Coordinates of all heavy atoms in Angstrom, one line a residue:
M1 N -6.3 -16.8 -11.7 CA -7.2 -15.7 -11.4 C -7.0 -15.2 -10.0 O -6.7 -15.8 -9.2 CB -8.7 -16.3 -11.3 CG -9.7 -15.2 -11.1 SD -11.4 -15.7 -11.2 CE -11.7 -16.4 -9.6
A2 N -6.9 -13.8 -10.0 CA -6.5 -13.1 -8.8 C -7.6 -13.1 -7.9 O -8.8 -12.6 -8.4 CB -6.0 -11.8 -9.1
V3 N -7.4 -13.2 -6.6 CA -8.5 -13.2 -5.7 C -8.3 -11.9 -4.8 O -7.1 -11.6 -4.3 CB -8.6 -14.3 -4.8 CG1 -9.5 -14.2 -3.6 CG2 -9.0 -15.6 -5.6
P4 N -9.2 -11.0 -4.7 CA -9.0 -9.8 -3.8 C -8.7 -10.1 -2.4 O -9.2 -11.2 -1.8 CB -10.3 -9.0 -3.9 CG -11.2 -9.8 -4.6 CD -10.6 -11.1 -5.1
F5 N -7.9 -9.4 -1.6 CA -7.6 -9.5 -0.4 C -8.8 -8.8 0.4 O -9.2 -7.8 0.1 CB -6.3 -8.8 0.0 CG -5.1 -9.3 -0.7 CD1 -4.6 -8.6 -1.8 CD2 -4.5 -10.4 -0.3 CE1 -3.6 -9.0 -2.5 CE2 -3.4 -10.9 -1.1 CZ -2.9 -10.2 -2.2
Q6 N -9.2 -9.4 1.5 CA -10.2 -8.9 2.5 C -9.3 -8.3 3.6 O -8.5 -8.9 4.2 CB -11.1 -10.0 3.0 CG -12.0 -10.6 2.0 CD -12.9 -9.6 1.4 OE1 -13.4 -8.7 1.9 NE2 -13.0 -9.8 0.1
I7 N -9.6 -7.0 3.9 CA -8.7 -6.2 4.9 C -9.6 -6.0 6.0 O -10.8 -5.5 6.0 CB -8.2 -4.9 4.2 CG1 -7.4 -5.2 3.0 CG2 -7.5 -4.0 5.3 CD1 -7.1 -3.9 2.3
F8 N -9.1 -6.0 7.3 CA -9.6 -5.8 8.5 C -8.6 -5.0 9.4 O -7.5 -5.2 9.5 CB -10.0 -7.1 9.3 CG -10.9 -7.9 8.7 CD1 -10.4 -8.9 7.6 CD2 -12.3 -8.0 8.9 CE1 -11.4 -9.7 6.9 CE2 -13.2 -8.8 8.2 CZ -12.7 -9.7 7.2
V9 N -9.2 -4.0 10.1 CA -8.4 -3.2 11.1 C -9.1 -3.2 12.4 O -10.3 -2.8 12.4 CB -8.3 -1.7 10.5 CG1 -7.5 -0.8 11.7 CG2 -7.6 -1.7 9.2
D10 N -8.5 -3.7 13.4 CA -9.1 -3.9 14.7 C -10.4 -4.5 14.7 O -11.3 -4.2 15.3 CB -9.2 -2.4 15.5 CG -7.9 -1.7 15.5 OD1 -6.9 -2.4 15.7 OD2 -7.8 -0.4 15.4
G11 N -10.5 -5.6 13.8 CA -11.7 -6.5 13.8 C -12.7 -5.8 12.8 O -13.8 -6.6 12.6
K12 N -12.6 -4.6 12.4 CA -13.6 -4.0 11.5 C -13.3 -4.4 10.0 O -12.2 -4.0 9.6 CB -13.7 -2.5 11.7 CG -14.1 -2.1 13.1 CD -14.1 -0.6 13.3 CE -14.5 -0.2 14.6 NZ -14.4 1.3 14.8
P13 N -14.3 -4.9 9.3 CA -14.0 -5.1 7.9 C -13.8 -3.7 7.0 O -14.8 -2.9 7.2 CB -15.3 -5.8 7.4 CG -16.3 -5.6 8.4 CD -15.6 -5.3 9.7
I14 N -12.8 -3.6 6.3 CA -12.5 -2.5 5.5 C -13.0 -2.8 4.1 O -13.2 -1.8 3.3 CB -11.0 -2.1 5.6 CG1 -10.6 -1.9 7.0 CG2 -10.7 -0.9 4.7 CD1 -11.4 -0.8 7.8
G15 N -13.0 -4.0 3.7 CA -13.4 -4.3 2.3 C -12.3 -5.1 1.5 O -11.2 -5.3 2.1
A16 N -12.6 -5.3 0.3 CA -11.6 -6.0 -0.5 C -10.6 -5.1 -1.2 O -10.9 -4.0 -1.5 CB -12.4 -6.8 -1.6
L17 N -9.4 -5.6 -1.4 CA -8.4 -4.8 -2.1 C -7.9 -5.7 -3.3 O -7.4 -6.8 -3.0 CB -7.2 -4.4 -1.2 CG -6.1 -3.4 -1.9 CD1 -6.7 -2.3 -2.3 CD2 -5.0 -3.3 -0.8
A18 N -8.0 -5.3 -4.5 CA -7.6 -6.0 -5.7 C -6.2 -5.9 -6.0 O -5.6 -5.0 -5.4 CB -8.4 -5.7 -6.9
N19 N -5.6 -6.7 -6.8 CA -4.2 -6.6 -7.2 C -3.9 -5.3 -7.9 O -4.9 -4.7 -8.5 CB -3.9 -7.8 -8.2 CG -3.8 -9.0 -7.4 OD1 -3.6 -9.1 -6.3 ND2 -3.8 -10.2 -8.3
K20 N -2.8 -4.7 -7.8 CA -2.3 -3.5 -8.3 C -3.2 -2.3 -7.8 O -3.3 -1.3 -8.6 CB -2.4 -3.6 -9.9 CG -1.8 -4.8 -10.5 CD -0.3 -4.6 -10.5 CE 0.4 -5.8 -11.1 NZ 1.7 -5.8 -10.9
K21 N -3.6 -2.4 -6.7 CA -4.4 -1.2 -6.0 C -3.8 -0.9 -4.6 O -3.1 -1.8 -4.1 CB -5.9 -1.6 -5.9 CG -6.5 -1.7 -7.2 CD -7.8 -1.0 -7.2 CE -8.4 -1.1 -8.7 NZ -9.5 -0.2 -8.9
Y22 N -4.1 0.3 -4.2 CA -3.7 0.6 -2.8 C -4.9 1.2 -2.1 O -5.8 1.8 -2.8 CB -2.4 1.4 -2.8 CG -2.6 2.9 -3.2 CD1 -3.0 3.9 -2.4 CD2 -2.4 3.3 -4.5 CE1 -3.2 5.2 -2.8 CE2 -2.6 4.6 -5.0 CZ -2.9 5.5 -4.0 OH -3.1 6.8 -4.5
R23 N -4.9 1.3 -0.9 CA -6.1 1.9 0.0 C -5.3 2.7 1.1 O -4.3 2.3 1.7 CB -6.9 0.9 0.4 CG -8.0 1.3 1.3 CD -9.1 0.2 1.7 NE -10.0 0.4 0.5 CZ -10.8 -0.5 0.3 NH1 -11.1 -1.5 1.1 NH2 -11.6 -0.4 -0.7
V24 N -6.1 3.8 1.3 CA -5.7 4.7 2.4 C -6.6 4.4 3.6 O -7.9 4.5 3.3 CB -5.7 6.2 2.1 CG1 -5.5 7.1 3.3 CG2 -4.7 6.5 0.9
I25 N -6.1 4.1 4.8 CA -7.0 3.8 5.9 C -6.5 4.8 7.0 O -5.3 4.7 7.4 CB -6.9 2.4 6.3 CG1 -7.3 1.4 5.2 CG2 -7.8 2.1 7.6 CD1 -6.8 0.0 5.4
K26 N -7.3 5.7 7.4 CA -7.0 6.6 8.5 C -7.5 6.1 9.8 O -8.6 5.7 10.0 CB -7.8 7.9 8.1 CG -7.3 8.6 6.8 CD -8.0 9.8 6.7 CE -7.6 10.5 5.3 NZ -8.2 11.7 5.1
V27 N -6.6 6.1 10.9 CA -6.8 5.6 12.1 C -6.4 6.6 13.1 O -5.5 7.5 12.9 CB -6.2 4.3 12.4 CG1 -6.7 3.3 11.4 CG2 -4.6 4.4 12.3
L28 N -7.0 6.5 14.4 CA -6.4 7.3 15.5 C -5.1 6.8 15.9 O -4.7 5.7 15.7 CB -7.4 7.3 16.6 CG -8.9 8.0 16.4 CD1 -9.7 7.6 17.5 CD2 -8.7 9.4 16.2
P29 N -4.2 7.7 16.5 CA -3.0 7.2 17.1 C -3.2 6.1 18.1 O -4.2 6.1 18.8 CB -2.4 8.4 17.7 CG -3.2 9.6 17.1 CD -4.4 9.1 16.7
G30 N -2.3 5.2 18.1 CA -2.3 4.0 19.1 C -2.1 2.7 18.4 O -1.6 2.7 17.3
Q31 N -2.3 1.7 19.1 CA -2.0 0.3 18.6 C -3.1 -0.2 17.8 O -4.4 0.0 18.1 CB -1.8 -0.6 19.7 CG -1.3 -2.0 19.3 CD -1.0 -2.8 20.5 OE1 -1.8 -3.2 21.3 NE2 0.3 -3.4 20.6
H32 N -2.9 -0.8 16.6 CA -3.9 -1.3 15.7 C -3.5 -2.6 15.2 O -2.3 -2.8 14.9 CB -4.1 -0.3 14.5 CG -4.6 1.0 14.9 ND1 -6.0 1.3 15.4 CD2 -3.9 2.2 15.2 CE1 -6.1 2.5 15.7 NE2 -4.9 3.1 15.6
V33 N -4.4 -3.5 15.0 CA -4.1 -4.8 14.4 C -4.8 -4.9 13.0 O -6.0 -4.7 13.0 CB -4.8 -6.0 15.2 CG1 -4.5 -7.3 14.6 CG2 -4.1 -6.0 16.7
I34 N -4.0 -5.0 12.1 CA -4.4 -5.2 10.6 C -4.3 -6.6 10.3 O -3.2 -7.2 10.5 CB -3.5 -4.3 9.8 CG1 -3.7 -2.7 10.1 CG2 -3.8 -4.4 8.2 CD1 -2.7 -2.2 11.0
Y35 N -5.2 -7.1 9.7 CA -5.1 -8.5 9.1 C -5.7 -8.4 7.7 O -6.7 -7.8 7.4 CB -5.5 -9.6 10.0 CG -6.8 -9.8 10.4 CD1 -7.6 -10.7 9.5 CD2 -7.6 -9.1 11.4 CE1 -9.0 -11.1 9.8 CE2 -8.8 -9.4 11.6 CZ -9.6 -10.3 10.8 OH -10.9 -10.6 11.2
V36 N -5.1 -9.4 6.9 CA -5.8 -9.7 5.6 C -6.0 -11.2 5.5 O -5.4 -12.0 6.1 CB -4.8 -9.2 4.5 CG1 -4.5 -7.7 4.5 CG2 -3.4 -9.9 4.6
L37 N -7.1 -11.3 4.7 CA -7.6 -12.8 4.4 C -7.7 -12.9 2.9 O -8.2 -12.1 2.2 CB -9.0 -12.9 5.1 CG -9.7 -14.1 4.8 CD1 -9.0 -15.3 5.6 CD2 -11.1 -14.0 5.5
A38 N -7.0 -14.0 2.5 CA -7.0 -14.3 1.0 C -6.9 -15.9 1.0 O -6.2 -16.4 1.8 CB -6.0 -13.6 0.2
Y39 N -7.6 -16.3 0.0 CA -7.6 -17.8 -0.2 C -8.0 -18.4 1.1 O -9.0 -18.1 1.6 CB -6.2 -18.2 -0.7 CG -5.8 -17.6 -2.0 CD1 -4.9 -16.6 -2.0 CD2 -6.2 -18.0 -3.3 CE1 -4.5 -15.8 -3.1 CE2 -5.9 -17.4 -4.4 CZ -4.9 -16.3 -4.3 OH -4.7 -15.6 -5.4
E40 N -7.2 -19.3 1.6 CA -7.6 -20.1 2.7 C -6.9 -19.7 4.0 O -6.8 -20.4 5.0 CB -7.5 -21.6 2.6 CG -6.1 -22.1 2.2 CD -5.6 -21.9 0.9 OE1 -6.3 -21.5 -0.1 OE2 -4.4 -22.1 0.6
N41 N -6.1 -18.7 4.0 CA -5.3 -18.2 5.1 C -5.4 -16.7 5.3 O -5.9 -15.9 4.5 CB -3.8 -18.7 5.0 CG -3.2 -18.2 3.7 OD1 -3.0 -17.0 3.7 ND2 -2.8 -19.0 2.8
Q42 N -4.8 -16.3 6.5 CA -4.7 -14.9 6.8 C -3.4 -14.6 7.4 O -2.7 -15.4 7.9 CB -5.9 -14.4 7.8 CG -5.8 -15.0 9.2 CD -6.8 -14.6 10.0 OE1 -7.9 -14.3 9.6 NE2 -6.7 -14.6 11.4
K43 N -3.1 -13.3 7.5 CA -1.8 -12.8 8.1 C -2.2 -11.5 8.8 O -3.0 -10.7 8.4 CB -0.8 -12.5 7.0 CG 0.6 -12.2 7.6 CD 1.2 -13.5 8.1 CE 2.6 -13.2 8.5 NZ 3.2 -14.3 9.2
S44 N -1.5 -11.3 10.0 CA -1.9 -10.0 10.8 C -0.6 -9.3 11.1 O 0.4 -10.0 11.1 CB -2.8 -10.4 12.1 OG -1.9 -11.3 13.0
L45 N -0.8 -8.1 11.5 CA 0.4 -7.3 11.9 C -0.1 -6.3 12.8 O -1.1 -5.7 12.6 CB 1.0 -6.6 10.6 CG 2.2 -5.7 10.8 CD1 3.4 -6.6 11.3 CD2 2.5 -4.9 9.6
T46 N 0.6 -6.1 13.9 CA 0.2 -5.1 14.9 C 1.1 -3.9 14.8 O 2.3 -4.2 14.7 CB 0.2 -5.6 16.3 OG1 -0.7 -6.8 16.4 CG2 -0.1 -4.6 17.4
I47 N 0.7 -2.7 14.7 CA 1.4 -1.5 14.6 C 1.0 -0.4 15.6 O -0.2 -0.4 16.0 CB 1.4 -0.9 13.1 CG1 0.0 -0.5 12.7 CG2 2.1 -1.8 12.1 CD1 -0.1 0.3 11.4
E48 N 1.9 0.3 15.9 CA 1.6 1.5 16.9 C 1.8 2.8 16.1 O 2.9 3.0 15.6 CB 2.7 1.4 18.1 CG 2.5 2.5 19.1 CD 1.4 2.1 20.1 OE1 1.1 0.9 20.3 OE2 0.8 3.0 20.5
T49 N 0.7 3.4 15.8 CA 0.7 4.6 15.0 C 0.9 5.9 15.9 O 0.4 6.0 17.0 CB -0.6 4.7 14.2 OG1 -1.7 4.8 15.0 CG2 -0.8 3.4 13.3
T50 N 1.4 6.9 15.2 CA 1.6 8.2 15.8 C 1.0 9.3 15.0 O 0.8 9.1 13.8 CB 3.2 8.4 15.9 OG1 3.8 7.5 16.5 CG2 3.4 9.8 16.6
A51 N 0.3 10.2 15.7 CA -0.3 11.4 14.9 C 0.6 12.0 13.9 O 1.7 12.3 14.2 CB -0.8 12.4 15.9
G52 N 0.2 12.3 12.7 CA 0.9 13.0 11.7 C 1.8 12.1 10.9 O 2.5 12.6 10.1
K53 N 2.0 10.8 11.1 CA 2.8 10.0 10.4 C 2.0 9.0 9.6 O 0.9 8.5 9.9 CB 3.7 9.1 11.4 CG 4.8 8.3 10.8 CD 5.7 7.6 11.7 CE 6.6 6.8 10.9 NZ 7.4 5.9 11.7
N54 N 2.7 8.8 8.3 CA 2.0 7.8 7.4 C 2.8 6.4 7.6 O 3.9 6.3 7.8 CB 2.2 8.2 6.1 CG 1.3 9.4 5.7 OD1 0.2 9.6 6.2 ND2 1.8 10.3 5.0
Y55 N 1.8 5.3 7.4 CA 2.5 4.0 7.6 C 2.1 3.2 6.3 O 0.9 3.4 5.9 CB 1.9 3.2 8.8 CG 2.3 3.8 10.1 CD1 1.6 5.0 10.6 CD2 3.5 3.5 10.8 CE1 2.0 5.6 11.7 CE2 3.8 4.2 11.9 CZ 3.2 5.2 12.4 OH 3.5 5.9 13.7
Y56 N 3.0 2.3 5.8 CA 2.8 1.7 4.5 C 2.9 0.2 4.8 O 3.9 -0.2 5.2 CB 3.7 2.2 3.5 CG 3.7 3.8 3.2 CD1 4.4 4.6 4.0 CD2 2.6 4.2 2.2 CE1 4.3 6.0 3.7 CE2 2.6 5.4 2.0 CZ 3.4 6.4 2.8 OH 3.4 7.8 2.5
L57 N 1.9 -0.4 4.4 CA 1.9 -1.9 4.5 C 1.7 -2.5 3.1 O 1.0 -2.1 2.2 CB 0.8 -2.5 5.5 CG 0.8 -1.8 6.8 CD1 -0.4 -2.5 7.5 CD2 2.0 -2.1 7.6
K58 N 2.5 -3.6 2.9 CA 2.4 -4.4 1.6 C 1.8 -5.8 1.9 O 2.2 -6.5 2.6 CB 3.8 -4.5 1.0 CG 3.7 -5.2 -0.3 CD 5.1 -5.1 -1.0 CE 5.0 -5.8 -2.4 NZ 6.4 -5.7 -3.0
V59 N 0.8 -6.2 1.0 CA 0.2 -7.4 1.0 C 0.5 -8.0 -0.3 O 0.5 -7.6 -1.4 CB -1.3 -7.3 1.0 CG1 -2.0 -8.7 1.1 CG2 -1.8 -6.5 2.3
S60 N 0.9 -9.4 -0.2 CA 1.4 -10.2 -1.4 C 1.1 -11.6 -1.0 O 0.7 -12.0 0.1 CB 2.8 -10.0 -1.6 OG 3.7 -10.4 -0.5
V61 N 1.1 -12.3 -2.0 CA 0.8 -13.8 -1.9 C 2.0 -14.6 -2.4 O 2.5 -14.3 -3.5 CB -0.5 -14.2 -2.8 CG1 -0.6 -15.8 -2.7 CG2 -1.7 -13.6 -2.2
K62 N 2.4 -15.6 -1.7 CA 3.5 -16.4 -2.1 C 2.7 -17.7 -2.6 O 1.9 -18.4 -1.9 CB 4.4 -16.8 -0.9 CG 5.5 -17.8 -1.3 CD 6.5 -18.0 -0.2 CE 7.5 -18.9 -0.7 NZ 8.6 -19.1 0.3
V63 N 2.9 -18.0 -3.9 CA 2.3 -19.1 -4.5 C 3.0 -20.5 -4.1 O 4.3 -20.5 -4.3 CB 2.2 -19.0 -6.0 CG1 1.5 -20.2 -6.6 CG2 1.5 -17.6 -6.4
G64 N 2.2 -21.4 -3.6 CA 2.7 -22.6 -3.2 C 2.2 -23.7 -4.2 O 1.3 -23.6 -5.0
I65 N 2.8 -25.0 -3.9 CA 2.3 -26.1 -4.8 C 0.9 -26.5 -4.4 O 0.0 -26.7 -5.2 CB 3.2 -27.3 -4.7 CG1 4.6 -27.0 -5.2 CG2 2.6 -28.5 -5.3 CD1 5.7 -27.9 -4.9
V66 N 0.6 -26.6 -3.2 CA -0.7 -27.0 -2.7 C -1.6 -25.8 -2.3 O -2.7 -25.8 -2.5 CB -0.5 -27.8 -1.3 CG1 -1.9 -28.3 -0.8 CG2 0.4 -29.1 -1.7
S67 N -1.1 -24.8 -1.6 CA -1.8 -23.6 -1.3 C -1.1 -22.3 -1.5 O 0.2 -22.4 -1.7 CB -2.4 -23.8 0.1 OG -1.2 -23.6 1.0
H68 N -1.7 -21.1 -1.4 CA -1.0 -19.8 -1.3 C -0.9 -19.3 0.0 O -1.8 -19.5 0.8 CB -1.8 -19.0 -2.3 CG -2.1 -19.4 -3.6 ND1 -1.1 -20.1 -4.4 CD2 -3.3 -19.4 -4.4 CE1 -1.5 -20.4 -5.5 NE2 -2.8 -20.0 -5.6
R69 N 0.1 -18.5 0.3 CA 0.3 -18.0 1.6 C 0.3 -16.5 1.6 O 1.0 -15.9 0.7 CB 1.6 -18.4 2.3 CG 1.4 -19.8 2.9 CD 2.6 -20.2 3.7 NE 3.7 -20.4 2.6 CZ 5.0 -20.8 3.0 NH1 5.2 -21.1 4.3 NH2 5.8 -21.0 2.1
V70 N -0.4 -15.8 2.4 CA -0.6 -14.4 2.4 C 0.5 -13.9 3.2 O 1.0 -14.4 4.2 CB -2.0 -13.9 3.1 CG1 -1.9 -12.4 3.0 CG2 -3.1 -14.4 2.2
K71 N 1.1 -12.7 2.6 CA 2.3 -12.1 3.4 C 1.9 -10.6 3.7 O 1.2 -10.0 2.8 CB 3.6 -12.1 2.5 CG 4.1 -13.5 2.3 CD 5.3 -13.5 1.4 CE 6.5 -13.0 2.1 NZ 7.8 -13.1 1.4
L72 N 2.1 -10.1 4.8 CA 1.8 -8.8 5.1 C 3.1 -8.1 5.8 O 3.6 -8.7 6.8 CB 0.7 -8.7 6.1 CG 0.1 -7.4 6.7 CD1 -0.4 -6.4 5.5 CD2 -0.9 -7.5 7.6
K73 N 3.6 -7.0 5.4 CA 4.7 -6.4 6.0 C 4.6 -4.9 5.9 O 4.0 -4.4 5.0 CB 6.0 -6.9 5.4 CG 6.2 -6.4 4.0 CD 7.6 -7.0 3.5 CE 7.8 -6.5 2.1 NZ 9.3 -7.0 1.6
E74 N 5.3 -4.2 6.8 CA 5.4 -2.8 6.7 C 6.6 -2.5 5.9 O 7.6 -3.1 5.7 CB 5.8 -2.2 8.2 CG 5.7 -0.7 8.3 CD 5.8 -0.1 9.6 OE1 5.8 -0.9 10.6 OE2 5.8 1.1 9.7
V75 N 6.4 -1.3 5.1 CA 7.4 -0.9 4.0 C 7.7 0.5 4.4 O 6.9 1.4 4.8 CB 6.7 -0.9 2.6 CG1 7.7 -0.5 1.6 CG2 6.2 -2.3 2.4
Q76 N 9.1 0.8 4.3 CA 9.6 2.1 4.5 C 8.9 3.1 3.5 O 8.6 2.9 2.4 CB 11.1 2.1 4.3 CG 11.9 1.3 5.3 CD 11.6 1.8 6.7 OE1 11.5 3.0 7.0 NE2 11.5 0.8 7.7
E77 N 8.7 4.3 4.2 CA 7.9 5.4 3.3 C 8.6 5.7 1.9 O 7.8 5.7 1.0 CB 7.9 6.6 4.1 CG 7.0 7.7 3.6 CD 6.7 8.9 4.5 OE1 7.4 9.1 5.3 OE2 5.7 9.6 4.0
K78 N 9.8 5.8 1.8 CA 10.5 6.2 0.5 C 10.2 5.1 -0.5 O 9.9 5.4 -1.6 CB 12.0 6.3 0.7 CG 12.7 7.0 -0.5 CD 14.1 7.2 -0.1 CE 14.9 8.0 -1.2 NZ 16.2 8.3 -0.9
K79 N 10.4 3.8 -0.1 CA 10.0 2.7 -1.0 C 8.5 2.6 -1.5 O 8.2 2.5 -2.6 CB 10.6 1.4 -0.5 CG 10.2 0.3 -1.4 CD 11.0 -1.0 -1.1 CE 10.7 -2.2 -2.0 NZ 10.0 -2.0 -3.3
A80 N 7.7 2.9 -0.4 CA 6.4 2.8 -0.6 C 5.9 3.8 -1.5 O 5.0 3.6 -2.5 CB 5.6 2.9 0.8
Q81 N 6.4 5.1 -1.5 CA 5.9 6.2 -2.3 C 6.3 5.9 -3.7 O 5.5 6.3 -4.7 CB 6.4 7.5 -1.7 CG 5.7 7.9 -0.5 CD 6.2 9.2 0.0 OE1 7.4 9.7 -0.4 NE2 5.5 9.8 0.9
K82 N 7.4 5.2 -3.9 CA 7.8 4.9 -5.3 C 6.9 3.8 -5.8 O 6.5 3.9 -6.9 CB 9.3 4.4 -5.2 CG 9.9 4.0 -6.6 CD 11.3 3.6 -6.4 CE 11.8 3.1 -7.7 NZ 13.1 2.5 -7.5
D83 N 6.7 2.8 -5.0 CA 5.8 1.6 -5.5 C 4.5 2.2 -5.7 O 3.7 1.6 -6.7 CB 5.8 0.6 -4.3 CG 7.1 -0.2 -4.3 OD1 8.0 0.0 -5.2 OD2 7.3 -0.8 -3.2
I84 N 3.8 3.1 -5.0 CA 2.5 3.4 -5.1 C 2.3 4.1 -6.5 O 1.1 4.1 -7.1 CB 2.1 4.5 -4.0 CG1 1.8 3.8 -2.8 CG2 1.0 5.4 -4.4 CD1 1.5 4.6 -1.7
L85 N 3.3 4.7 -7.1 CA 3.3 5.2 -8.5 C 2.7 4.3 -9.5 O 2.2 4.7 -10.5 CB 4.5 5.9 -9.0 CG 4.9 7.1 -8.1 CD1 6.4 7.5 -8.5 CD2 4.0 8.2 -8.1
K86 N 2.9 3.0 -9.2 CA 2.6 2.0 -10.3 C 1.2 1.4 -10.0 O 0.7 0.5 -10.7 CB 3.6 0.8 -10.2 CG 5.0 1.2 -10.4 CD 6.0 0.0 -10.1 CE 7.4 0.5 -9.9 NZ 8.2 -0.6 -9.3
L87 N 0.5 1.9 -8.9 CA -0.8 1.2 -8.5 C -1.9 2.2 -8.7 O -1.7 3.5 -8.9 CB -0.6 1.0 -7.0 CG 0.5 0.0 -6.5 CD1 0.4 -0.2 -5.1 CD2 0.4 -1.3 -7.3
K88 N -3.1 1.8 -8.5 CA -4.3 2.5 -8.7 C -4.9 2.8 -7.2 O -5.0 1.8 -6.5 CB -5.3 2.0 -9.7 CG -4.8 2.1 -11.1 CD -5.8 1.5 -12.0 CE -5.2 1.7 -13.5 NZ -6.3 1.1 -14.5
P89 N -5.5 3.9 -6.9 CA -6.1 4.0 -5.7 C -7.4 3.3 -5.6 O -8.2 3.1 -6.5 CB -6.3 5.5 -5.5 CG -6.5 6.1 -7.0 CD -5.5 5.2 -7.8
S90 N -7.6 2.9 -4.3 CA -9.0 2.3 -4.0 C -9.6 3.3 -3.0 O -9.0 4.2 -2.6 CB -8.8 0.9 -3.4 OG -10.0 0.2 -3.3
K91 N -10.9 2.9 -2.6 CA -11.5 3.8 -1.6 C -10.8 4.1 -0.4 O -10.2 3.3 0.2 CB -13.0 3.2 -1.3 CG -13.8 3.9 -0.4 CD -15.0 3.2 0.1 CE -15.7 3.9 1.1 NZ -16.8 3.2 1.6
T92 N -10.7 5.4 0.0 CA -10.1 5.8 1.4 C -11.2 5.5 2.5 O -12.5 5.5 2.3 CB -9.9 7.3 1.3 OG1 -8.9 7.6 0.3 CG2 -9.4 7.7 2.8
F93 N -10.7 4.9 3.5 CA -11.5 4.5 4.7 C -10.9 5.2 5.9 O -9.8 5.1 6.3 CB -11.3 2.9 4.9 CG -12.5 2.2 5.3 CD1 -13.5 1.9 4.4 CD2 -12.8 2.2 6.6 CE1 -14.7 1.2 4.8 CE2 -14.0 1.6 7.1 CZ -15.0 1.1 6.2
D94 N -11.9 6.0 6.5 CA -11.5 6.8 7.7 C -12.2 6.1 8.9 O -13.4 6.3 9.1 CB -12.0 8.3 7.5 CG -11.5 9.1 8.5 OD1 -11.0 8.6 9.5 OD2 -11.5 10.3 8.3
L95 N -11.5 5.5 9.8 CA -11.9 4.9 11.0 C -12.2 5.9 12.1 O -12.7 5.6 13.1 CB -11.1 3.7 11.3 CG -11.1 2.5 10.6 CD1 -10.0 1.5 11.1 CD2 -12.4 1.9 10.5
N96 N -11.8 7.1 11.8 CA -11.9 8.2 12.7 C -13.3 8.8 12.8 O -13.8 9.4 13.7 CB -10.9 9.4 12.5 CG -9.4 8.9 12.5 OD1 -9.1 8.0 13.4 ND2 -8.5 9.6 11.8
D97 N -14.0 8.6 11.7 CA -15.4 9.2 11.6 C -16.5 8.2 11.8 O -17.6 8.3 11.5 CB -15.5 10.0 10.3 CG -15.7 9.0 9.2 OD1 -15.7 7.8 9.3 OD2 -15.8 9.7 8.0
G98 N -16.2 7.0 12.4 CA -17.2 6.1 12.8 C -17.5 5.1 11.8 O -18.5 4.3 11.8
Q99 N -16.9 5.1 10.6 CA -17.2 4.1 9.6 C -16.9 2.7 10.0 O -16.0 2.5 10.8 CB -16.3 4.4 8.3 CG -16.9 5.5 7.4 CD -16.1 5.5 6.2 OE1 -15.0 5.1 5.9 NE2 -16.8 6.1 5.1

């Protein structure tokens, strides 16, 4: 059974993201810490964003014998846009408007 990932940006809960879905999260330019929580572990990534640029992150799970490990990595735009065609959108989250 698939467990949704819990997403946080700069400590703010963004919500769950299920398998085969993607989510748009709008942030102000600057440094941001993104972390995901699934199963019994979490993974974080710090990125420096620039106005007018899109950033793509991929969340996955490496299945282990005893436990699962969450993986989080930045993906190049060209590859991400191709991969997104296979996914369904989830709610857009705009941290710029106080959500």
Side-chain angles (χ1 to χ4, degrees):
M1 178 172 90
V3 175
F5 303 103
Q6 297 297 321
I7 302 171
F8 299 82
V9 176
D10 300 330
K12 296 178 184 177
I14 303 301
L17 183 64
N19 290 339
K20 306 290 183 189
K21 296 226 175 188
Y22 72 91
R23 173 166 281 171
V24 174
I25 302 169
K26 298 178 181 181
V27 297
L28 293 171
Q31 188 176 61
H32 299 281
V33 178
I34 294 93
Y35 73 91
V36 293
L37 176 64
Y39 302 100
E40 63 279 351
N41 60 65
Q42 69 180 28
K43 189 70 174 177
S44 66
L45 182 67
T46 300
I47 60 171
E48 185 76 30
T49 61
T50 305
K53 184 175 179 193
N54 294 320
Y55 298 84
Y56 300 87
L57 304 177
K58 181 176 182 176
V59 181
S60 59
V61 172
K62 183 175 182 180
V63 179
I65 295 171
V66 176
S67 65
H68 304 320
R69 286 188 285 188
V70 176
K71 296 175 78 178
L72 175 63
K73 67 178 184 176
E74 188 169 355
V75 179
Q76 296 298 319
E77 186 170 20
K78 190 173 184 177
K79 176 167 179 20
Q81 288 179 344
K82 181 180 174 186
D83 291 347
I84 282 174
L85 296 175
K86 302 172 197 165
L87 306 175
K88 294 182 179 181
S90 189
K91 179 184 174 189
T92 295
F93 215 89
D94 191 345
L95 290 175
N96 299 328
D97 69 5
Q99 279 189 340

